[in-house]
Amino acid sequence: MNCEFTNNKSSLHHVLASVEELATLGKLWRSQSYQITCWIYYSTTIISSDKLYLTYFGALLTVRNMNDQEPRKLYIMRHGERVDLAFSDWMSQSFDKNGNYCQSDLNMPDNLPKRSQGYSAYAEDTPLTKIGIFQAQLTGEAFKKAQLDVSHVYSSPSLRCIQTCDAFLKSWGKNNEIKIKVEPGLYEWWALFGERLPDWLTPEDLAVWGYNVDLEYKPIISVEELGSKKESATEYYSRSFRVSTEALKAHGNDNVLFVAHAATLEVCTWKLTGEKPRIPDDTTRDVLAIPYCGFIEVRQIGDKWEKNGRPFLQLSHTANATFDYNRLS
């Protein structure tokens, strides 16, 4: 083989190699980010009608420098501001005894559709505030300005996550192009917050409400499986890693976005990037401090994944508390 191999940035080489030279190539690139594809071939010469001799054996190699390719990305985003944490007594303020909704603050939704489970379902499956919608819109704008891209979007079934996802996609301009895959496996560690799962809206309900959800999507983890038992912290991390790996595997080299909860930025990336899971106290103290619409990029380099921080500016603002204007009288 009259071909000199160097560790350069050329992305593709086509070469002929003898059997002995294959071992040399393996040593040369075993620590590099190269993908080597090999086609074995041989030629023959017939000496007589009953004898066949192999006269040459070799291989056609394709050597591709993987560092020349754009890294694959997994983006993870927390939902926007939720009504129940902005207004602790919002249910009593906003619903009458018959379950009719009435806006009681400019930051609350203008209206809320009635749910088949009854209005009490909003207590555990809270919507976004108007500020929460705006936060998601700003994040979508930033994603567009940064010229980032995804082909597939997954959301926790929580209404606040669906709404965040919808507002993000509309602001990015892709809400009609990309359908939301509702994935129960992206829900938070529910054992911390109650004895059972919330009564979520079904994908069919969400579609009726106008959200562009993928009605043909089969979840990685069903609602029934998720609610079958209260998880330990270790099981929560394992469940989240399963969702990450299976979602990424399903889409080849496409970029993927998860829209879910604060801890999702941690639990869906820890094992993917080779880190150890946090103990519950650390998760509560550090991870749950992630702000509304917190956003992280994880990228694939060769066979490894690494966290790449936030790919655009942070979103920060101050609180605007309720005020008793009778104090001015």
Side-chain angles (χ1 to χ4, degrees):
M1 178 179 67
N2 297 320
C3 194
E4 179 181 353
F5 285 85
T6 58
N7 187 2
N8 57 37
K9 294 185 180 295
S10 178
S11 63
L12 191 64
H13 303 276
H14 292 286
V15 299
L16 289 178
S18 67
V19 178
E20 292 81 6
E21 289 163 327
L22 295 180
T24 302
L25 281 172
K27 293 179 181 179
L28 181 62
W29 272 296
R30 67 183 177 184
S31 63
Q32 308 296 330
S33 296
Y34 286 85
Q35 182 185 67
I36 302 177
T37 306
C38 177
W39 292 270
I40 304 296
Y41 73 95
Y42 64 88
S43 60
T44 62
T45 301
I46 299 177
I47 302 301
S48 63
S49 61
D50 61 344
K51 291 184 179 180
L52 187 67
Y53 290 91
L54 179 66
T55 59
Y56 189 83
F57 181 89
L60 176 65
L61 298 178
T62 299
V63 183
R64 184 180 300 275
N65 186 344
M66 300 304 288
N67 289 327
D68 288 351
Q69 297 182 335
E70 180 68 21
R72 188 185 185 192
K73 310 287 179 55
L74 169 63
Y75 298 105
I76 304 178
M77 177 182 177
R78 188 192 178 192
H79 58 76
E81 182 182 72
R82 47 192 288 179
V83 168
D84 60 342
L85 295 189
F87 306 97
S88 59
D89 56 349
W90 83 285
M91 291 291 293
S92 61
Q93 288 181 349
S94 305
F95 292 95
D96 64 22
K97 62 181 181 179
N98 295 317
N100 298 307
Y101 173 78
C102 181
Q103 183 188 34
S104 58
D105 189 279
L106 290 176
N107 192 26
M108 288 186 178
D110 290 328
N111 54 71
L112 286 174
K114 290 193 174 183
R115 301 173 68 147
S116 60
Q117 310 98 321
Y119 77 95
S120 61
Y122 279 115
E124 295 182 342
D125 189 25
T126 180
L128 293 181
T129 63
K130 287 187 175 180
I131 293 297
I133 297 290
F134 184 55
Q135 290 168 331
Q137 291 171 341
L138 289 177
T139 306
E141 288 178 10
F143 192 85
K144 182 178 181 178
K145 289 178 181 178
Q147 298 183 343
L148 303 176
D149 192 36
V150 297
S151 301
H152 308 278
V153 176
Y154 290 73
S155 176
S156 161
S158 294
L159 178 57
R160 58 189 179 275
C161 298
I162 299 293
Q163 290 181 312
T164 300
C165 199
D166 178 69
F168 174 94
L169 288 171
K170 285 180 178 176
S171 184
W172 181 29
K174 295 293 184 74
N175 58 301
N176 292 323
E177 180 180 335
I178 300 178
K179 291 182 179 293
I180 302 169
K181 294 175 172 58
V182 181
E183 175 52 58
L186 285 175
Y187 187 54
E188 57 194 344
W189 188 20
W190 63 272
L192 283 180
F193 305 106
E195 294 299 318
R196 62 179 182 85
L197 295 175
D199 287 325
W200 293 309
L201 294 160
T202 66
E204 290 75 17
D205 290 335
L206 292 167
V208 171
W209 284 23
Y211 296 108
N212 188 21
V213 298
D214 186 350
L215 295 178
E216 297 181 358
Y217 173 67
K218 183 178 180 180
I220 297 168
I221 297 175
S222 67
V223 173
E224 292 74 22
E225 179 182 352
L226 180 63
S228 62
K229 67 172 184 176
K230 297 186 72 171
E231 299 170 308
S232 66
T234 299
E235 289 170 331
Y236 171 46
Y237 271 87
S238 297
R239 181 244 296 178
S240 302
F241 176 65
R242 175 184 164 191
V243 171
S244 295
T245 53
E246 293 195 23
L248 290 169
K249 183 180 179 180
H251 302 300
N253 291 318
D254 292 346
N255 294 343
V256 175
L257 168 67
F258 290 166
V259 178
H261 307 273
T264 310
L265 280 71
E266 157 78 6
V267 297
C268 280
T269 60
W270 69 280
K271 194 171 183 179
L272 200 64
T273 56
E275 300 172 346
K276 293 182 179 180
R278 297 170 185 259
I279 62 174
D281 286 347
D282 288 344
T283 300
T284 302
R285 182 184 67 247
D286 299 330
V287 177
L288 297 186
I290 293 170
Y292 291 127
C293 289
F295 202 100
I296 191 172
E297 174 186 284
V298 188
R299 61 182 180 179
Q300 184 179 26
I301 306 295
D303 294 331
K304 296 182 178 180
W305 288 84
E306 63 181 32
K307 291 179 181 177
N308 196 39
R310 187 178 174 94
F312 41 77
L313 294 176
Q314 292 203 52
L315 170 62
S316 306
H317 53 79
T318 59
N320 198 35
T322 301
F323 181 76
D324 180 6
Y325 286 90
N326 291 324
R327 293 167 57 185
L328 300 178
S329 299

PDB file of all heavy atoms in Angstrom, residues 12 125 133:
ATOM      1  N   LEU A  12     -12.136  12.286   5.077  1.00  0.00           N
ATOM      2  CA  LEU A  12     -12.427  11.019   4.441  1.00  0.00           C
ATOM      3  C   LEU A  12     -11.247  10.561   3.597  1.00  0.00           C
ATOM      4  O   LEU A  12     -10.680  11.327   2.821  1.00  0.00           O
ATOM      5  CB  LEU A  12     -13.673  11.173   3.556  1.00  0.00           C
ATOM      6  CG  LEU A  12     -14.313   9.911   2.992  1.00  0.00           C
ATOM      7  CD1 LEU A  12     -14.834   9.067   4.141  1.00  0.00           C
ATOM      8  CD2 LEU A  12     -15.443  10.280   2.051  1.00  0.00           C
ATOM      9  N   ASP A 125     -51.998  19.568  38.762  1.00  0.00           N
ATOM     10  CA  ASP A 125     -51.467  19.715  37.399  1.00  0.00           C
ATOM     11  C   ASP A 125     -51.651  21.165  36.981  1.00  0.00           C
ATOM     12  O   ASP A 125     -52.484  21.501  36.147  1.00  0.00           O
ATOM     13  CB  ASP A 125     -52.188  18.758  36.443  1.00  0.00           C
ATOM     14  CG  ASP A 125     -51.547  18.710  35.063  1.00  0.00           C
ATOM     15  OD1 ASP A 125     -50.333  18.996  34.955  1.00  0.00           O
ATOM     16  OD2 ASP A 125     -52.261  18.383  34.095  1.00  0.00           O
ATOM     17  N   ILE A 133     -45.488  31.777  30.269  1.00  0.00           N
ATOM     18  CA  ILE A 133     -45.598  31.704  28.815  1.00  0.00           C
ATOM     19  C   ILE A 133     -44.552  32.609  28.161  1.00  0.00           C
ATOM     20  O   ILE A 133     -43.872  32.228  27.198  1.00  0.00           O
ATOM     21  CB  ILE A 133     -47.006  32.112  28.346  1.00  0.00           C
ATOM     22  CG1 ILE A 133     -48.063  31.138  28.890  1.00  0.00           C
ATOM     23  CG2 ILE A 133     -47.070  32.206  26.830  1.00  0.00           C
ATOM     24  CD1 ILE A 133     -48.020  29.762  28.273  1.00  0.00           C
TER      25      ILE A 133
END
